[in-house]
Amino acid sequence: MSGRRVLTLPATGYRRERWRNGRGWTREILALPAGADWALRLSIAELDAAADFSPFPGVEREQVLLHGNGLRLQFDDGQVAELLPPHQRIRFAGSRAVTGVPLDGPVQVFNLMWRPGSLAAHLFHRPLVGDMWCFGDGQTGWAVHVLAGSARMGGADGQDGTLLAAGDSAWLPPPATGRWRHPIDGAGELLLVQVQWPATGAGGGRPLPA
């Protein structure tokens, strides 16, 4: 039942690209499947000034403030929300028109996007003190992002594991068959994304990066 398959995603390897309006940057952590037709995408948005977010019809979004003094989200329908330190978060439909306004300096925001017609995603913010476990099966994978401190993936029971520093991530894909559990140990804070594919037809079509 224990699992050791991990795709490590160091912060130095995130793909960084300019926004189409030139007012911000995106660092892509993970896209499943890779390319424009993803069903799940994890990234970090960097804003230096007020910028319109690109619309994503049919996509759900959840954002968490990572760094900076705050971000105001001004929706065209009149709603105004603020992401304030340390790690305030918000979920909204990707089809909604919204402008992000940094509060007192540049900000960085963790950005989770997924297509509900293809999969379900659940975001958790958890402290890491000692050991924890991620459990999954043939339809469940986990993404891990280290907010602060460090985390060792697969480091329990005397194993050396893979050490992740603050800003690094990892992907724990579903196994081809059976159930699994994966140990994480260390000290700090994590963002955990549980990804679940529908049981019907989820077998060979799942995107499982090696």
Side-chain angles (χ1 to χ4, degrees):
M1 183 174 173
S2 62
R4 289 292 186 268
R5 187 182 181 195
V6 181
L7 174 66
T8 56
L9 303 164
T12 54
Y14 298 162
R15 183 170 61 87
R16 192 170 187 254
E17 59 184 17
R18 195 70 170 168
W19 288 10
R20 287 177 297 200
N21 58 22
R23 296 188 177 182
W25 292 89
T26 293
R27 287 187 290 151
E28 184 178 274
I29 300 173
L30 176 69
L32 299 177
D37 295 328
W38 48 262
L40 175 83
R41 188 174 188 240
L42 308 180
S43 62
I44 296 174
E46 305 173 358
L47 287 82
D48 299 324
D52 297 336
F53 286 12
S54 297
F56 288 93
V59 169
E60 283 291 309
R61 304 182 70 157
E62 190 157 359
Q63 296 189 333
V64 182
L65 182 70
L66 295 180
H67 302 289
N69 293 317
L71 177 68
R72 179 180 297 119
L73 298 179
Q74 299 176 339
F75 294 88
D76 281 12
D77 58 16
Q79 181 187 0
V80 177
E82 290 186 347
L83 303 182
L84 301 177
H87 300 298
Q88 200 165 359
R89 58 200 276 188
I90 186 173
R91 175 176 170 173
F92 58 95
S95 59
R96 296 178 67 187
V98 58
T99 299
V101 182
L103 304 177
D104 191 23
V107 296
Q108 294 184 18
V109 178
F110 182 87
N111 191 30
L112 162 64
M113 297 192 290
W114 72 99
R115 301 185 192 276
S118 300
L119 54 84
H122 306 279
L123 178 64
F124 305 94
H125 176 196
R126 293 289 186 266
L128 177 61
V129 182
D131 298 340
M132 69 165 57
W133 295 82
C134 287
F135 293 86
D137 54 27
Q139 281 75 49
T140 305
W142 289 85
V144 180
H145 179 77
V146 182
L147 281 176
S150 61
R152 184 180 294 106
M153 310 296 295
D157 302 325
Q159 301 291 324
D160 290 337
T162 300
L163 186 65
L164 303 180
D168 293 340
S169 304
W171 169 241
L172 310 176
T177 59
R179 297 177 59 83
W180 56 263
R181 62 181 183 178
H182 199 96
I184 305 174
D185 74 282
E189 294 179 76
L190 304 179
L191 290 179
L192 300 167
V193 181
Q194 183 189 51
V195 184
Q196 295 177 304
W197 282 266
T200 303
R206 291 195 316 270
L208 303 179

